[in-house]
Amino acid sequence: QVQLVESGGGLVQAGGSLRLSCQASGNIFTINTMAWYRQAPGKERELVATITGRGNTDYADSVKGRSTISRDNAKNTVVYLQVNNLKVEDTGVYSCNREQRRDPFDLLYSYWGQGTQVTVSS
């Protein structure tokens, strides 16, 4: 099992910035991808950004150019999401996800954190 704990959410004014952190612990495998999702009230959960174990990143169009996902490679267990120029529509519960496998032929395991609330005020 893997546990994911997010932190860094809160109330932020539009135009501001925040940095979210996600710490993974437990049965950690090297082959992994970590990601941030968010769910706004009344909407489905959407993918915000991903980062592979090799550091390849991808972003949703809605945050591209103003967000950075990064990880602590030394530990392979911490991922960050920096979002700048926050907009009211960035409001939602941000959840961390980790997918990992023991080796290339192993099953893919997926884990979720509890989420952290981000509220952007106008």
Side-chain angles (χ1 to χ4, degrees):
Q1 281 292 331
V2 172
Q3 294 77 44
L4 300 175
V5 179
E6 301 98 336
S7 61
L11 176 63
V12 185
Q13 282 194 331
S17 300
L18 60 75
R19 189 191 196 206
L20 304 178
S21 300
C22 174
Q23 170 75 59
S25 62
N27 195 17
I28 300 296
F29 299 155
T30 302
I31 302 174
N32 71 87
T33 295
M34 295 189 76
W36 286 97
Y37 288 75
R38 71 183 179 194
Q39 186 167 21
K43 294 186 178 181
E44 293 188 353
R45 184 166 57 192
E46 63 173 344
L47 178 63
V48 177
T50 62
I51 184 167
T52 69
R54 295 183 178 182
N56 297 318
T57 60
D58 196 14
Y59 299 90
D61 289 340
S62 59
V63 300
K64 195 172 294 184
R66 58 188 182 94
S67 296
T68 302
I69 187 170
S70 60
R71 62 191 304 160
D72 183 339
N73 288 331
K75 297 181 179 179
N76 193 33
T77 58
V78 182
V79 66
Y80 306 98
L81 180 68
Q82 174 80 30
V83 184
N84 302 317
N85 189 23
L86 282 160
K87 304 176 181 180
V88 173
E89 51 264 40
D90 290 322
T91 295
V93 176
Y94 285 67
S95 299
C96 179
N97 172 262
R98 181 179 176 97
E99 294 186 337
Q100 63 176 32
R101 60 179 88 223
R102 187 180 292 105
D103 58 61
F105 306 101
D106 192 16
L107 294 174
L108 185 67
Y109 299 91
S110 182
Y111 304 94
W112 291 90
Q114 292 291 330
T116 184
Q117 176 70 45
V118 172
T119 302
V120 183
S121 62
S122 59

